Amino acid sequence: MKNGILNWNVDPVIFWITDSFPLKYYGALFACGLLLGFYIVRNIYKKENLSLDNLDSLLIYVIVGTVLGARLGHCFFYEPDYFLKHPIEILLPIQKIKGVYQFVGYQGLASHGGSIGVITAMILYCRKYKVQFLGLLDKMAVAVPVTGAFIRMGNFMNSEIYGKPTNGNWGVVFQRDDLIPRHPTQLYEAFAYILIFVILFYMYKSEKIRNAQGLIFGTFLTLLFTARFIIEFFKENQEAFENSMLINMGQILSVPFILIGLGLIFWKTKKVSVDSDSLQF
């Protein structure tokens, strides 16, 4: 680092498993984040003396919901014209290069789509295993920010989804793209997500808050997507069509989540207040 500027030029590939199949930091951190999140949820189940039956199935639901939702979200929120013409590339990690399909990995995952995918997966899981939906979402909400932080660290290692120029003598130069000091928005988000995890973790320790099922999940939605909305002001747009918009696609997609979160907070805090008054009476 020199004069407040960090020059970043890390190879995103950790090593090559085969000549055509790399192990990248992004994929490794994504997987570690999911497993750590699962470990947190498992510990919550143990501390509450809940049955661990079908918890392994929950991990599968979460992985499928996250990856499928994030992939579909990117394809249809950000590049619908391209992927409607190349539908095979939506679900398969390949791309036609010079007329030949090659393995490139999933180059495009949208967190908003991932959120929708996970919630959809939780609905299906709760229906099959007869689990209380909002109660499960509260438990998941505690763990998800940690997973999100790992994913953003993966983005940092990939030198992608970075910020706008700082216009000063500080920032991170992502040398794989240009020599301009930029906001390391991946790190901003990672830090914000860890802070949100701490807040939700301490909320979950309160029995009164836990019993108001949905309150923690509502707080999670509000905090996480408000952080995302604010940080987007410092981030470069992912697609050219966003340059003509007042707020970008990430911010537009964050608004419904924030409103749902605020609605849950208002509903659940009001219900807790009413229940407390009834008990006092």
Side-chain angles (χ1 to χ4, degrees):
M1 180 179 289
K2 184 178 180 181
N3 297 326
I5 295 176
L6 174 64
N7 291 293
W8 190 252
N9 189 25
V10 173
D11 189 340
V13 176
I14 303 174
F15 60 84
W16 291 85
I17 299 173
T18 67
D19 291 341
S20 59
F21 192 84
L23 175 63
K24 296 186 177 182
Y25 285 104
Y26 179 82
L29 287 167
F30 198 121
C32 288
L34 283 171
L35 292 175
L36 182 55
F38 177 73
Y39 175 78
I40 293 170
V41 172
R42 186 180 181 85
N43 274 359
I44 290 174
Y45 268 68
K46 286 183 177 180
K47 289 181 180 179
E48 295 188 18
N49 295 316
L50 298 174
S51 173
L52 299 180
D53 293 344
N54 304 318
L55 204 55
D56 290 340
S57 296
L58 175 62
L59 178 61
I60 296 173
Y61 274 77
V62 169
I63 292 173
V64 174
T66 300
V67 176
L68 184 59
R71 183 58 179 165
L72 292 175
H74 174 82
C75 294
F76 295 117
F77 293 153
Y78 291 97
E79 297 184 85
D81 291 340
Y82 175 84
F83 284 103
L84 287 175
K85 295 176 182 177
H86 304 83
I88 193 173
E89 297 179 18
I90 295 177
L91 297 180
L92 296 179
I94 58 176
Q95 186 176 16
K96 184 174 284 188
I97 301 175
K98 296 181 179 180
V100 179
Y101 281 109
Q102 299 182 24
F103 175 86
V104 295
Y106 287 118
Q107 297 187 350
L109 297 172
S111 58
H112 295 90
S115 299
I116 295 171
V118 168
I119 293 172
T120 303
M122 291 305 92
I123 292 173
L124 297 175
Y125 176 86
C126 289
R127 283 183 177 178
K128 181 173 182 178
Y129 295 105
K130 311 301 180 186
V131 177
Q132 290 182 328
F133 181 57
L134 287 178
L136 179 60
L137 287 183
D138 281 346
K139 296 176 182 63
M140 294 289 297
V142 177
V144 167
V146 175
T147 302
F150 270 73
I151 293 172
R152 285 297 175 246
M153 286 300 299
N155 294 136
F156 184 74
M157 299 301 290
N158 265 6
S159 297
E160 62 186 1
I161 315 183
Y162 46 64
K164 297 175 181 178
T166 59
N167 297 320
N169 59 350
W170 67 277
V172 176
V173 175
F174 295 96
Q175 293 180 321
R176 290 180 171 271
D177 285 346
D178 56 38
L179 299 178
I180 302 172
R182 297 180 177 275
H183 289 279
T185 46
Q186 316 97 320
L187 301 184
Y188 296 171
E189 283 193 58
F191 177 78
Y193 294 166
I194 293 299
L195 181 59
I196 292 168
F197 162 72
V198 173
I199 293 171
L200 297 178
F201 177 79
Y202 279 99
M203 285 182 66
Y204 204 88
K205 294 178 72 174
S206 167
E207 184 177 356
K208 184 177 180 180
I209 293 177
R210 285 201 309 271
N211 290 337
Q213 293 188 356
L215 180 55
I216 292 175
F217 180 62
T219 305
F220 157 78
L221 289 178
T222 303
L223 291 178
L224 189 138
F225 286 101
T226 297
R228 175 71 186 271
F229 188 94
I230 294 171
I231 293 171
E232 286 290 331
F233 284 113
F234 301 93
K235 190 184 298 184
E236 287 283 13
N237 292 327
Q238 294 188 49
E239 300 296 333
F241 73 85
E242 297 176 280
N243 295 332
S244 61
M245 300 166 63
L246 181 63
I247 56 176
N248 65 25
M249 182 59 74
Q251 291 171 310
I252 291 172
L253 294 172
S254 293
V255 171
F257 289 99
I258 295 171
L259 294 177
I260 292 170
L262 290 173
L264 277 170
I265 292 172
F266 176 77
W267 173 37
K268 289 299 178 175
T269 51
K270 185 176 180 180
K271 187 175 185 301
V272 169
S273 178
V274 170
D275 290 345
S276 299
D277 291 341
S278 299
L279 288 172
Q280 291 174 1
F281 176 78

